[in-house]
Amino acid sequence: QVQLVESGGGLVQAGGSLRLSCTASGLRFRDYGMGWFRQILGKEREFVSAVSWSGGDTYYTDSVKGRFTISRDNAKNTVYLQMNSLKPEDTAVYYCAANLQEGYFTTAQATGVREYDYWGQGTQVFVSS
């Protein structure tokens, strides 16, 4: 059974930092591109960042470029999202997801919600102003 378990969410003041972690089990982690998405109540889930199986290719939505950094440790089956200079508009539930990567991890595969095979339960991030 595949499980993705996120952690690291919480309450932080604007300008602060958080590091989200997502640990996977039940799958061959290095076969999967990994992504982070976020969702606000009543809105669609949106892409935040993704990383290819090797860590060599990373993708970010424009609003987080320069502030967020995605990384992965294949030995620990874990993907991270370092979030700096947080803003109130970053407040959301953050979800980790796994995308079976066959060949090159294209932008479409990395950023598309429907491209992902497995999802975590989410972790809440609240940024106060």
Side-chain angles (χ1 to χ4, degrees):
Q1 181 180 358
V2 175
Q3 282 192 314
L4 302 178
V5 180
E6 300 101 333
S7 61
L11 170 64
V12 64
Q13 287 188 330
S17 298
L18 285 173
R19 187 175 84 153
L20 304 184
S21 300
C22 170
T23 300
S25 60
L27 52 71
R28 183 178 161 84
F29 188 69
R30 63 177 64 249
D31 285 345
Y32 287 78
M34 299 298 295
W36 287 97
F37 292 76
R38 63 188 180 189
Q39 189 170 21
I40 301 170
L41 191 63
K43 293 193 174 183
E44 291 189 354
R45 194 166 297 187
E46 66 172 7
F47 168 74
V48 175
S49 182
V51 61
S52 61
W53 73 268
S54 67
D57 297 297
T58 57
Y59 304 85
Y60 298 93
T61 193
D62 286 345
S63 63
V64 308
K65 285 180 181 176
R67 300 189 297 123
F68 291 11
T69 303
I70 191 170
S71 61
R72 65 187 293 160
D73 185 338
N74 286 345
K76 295 182 178 179
N77 285 8
T78 300
V79 60
Y80 305 97
L81 186 68
Q82 177 67 44
M83 306 187 295
N84 298 330
S85 302
L86 282 160
K87 303 176 180 180
E89 50 263 44
D90 294 318
T91 294
V93 178
Y94 283 71
Y95 296 90
C96 166
N99 179 337
L100 182 61
Q101 188 175 338
E102 298 172 329
Y104 183 68
F105 197 41
T106 67
T107 301
Q109 291 170 324
T111 62
V113 171
R114 292 190 176 92
E115 297 290 331
Y116 284 77
D117 304 292
Y118 302 104
W119 292 85
Q121 81 290 348
T123 185
Q124 175 72 56
V125 171
F126 185 85
V127 184
S128 63
S129 57

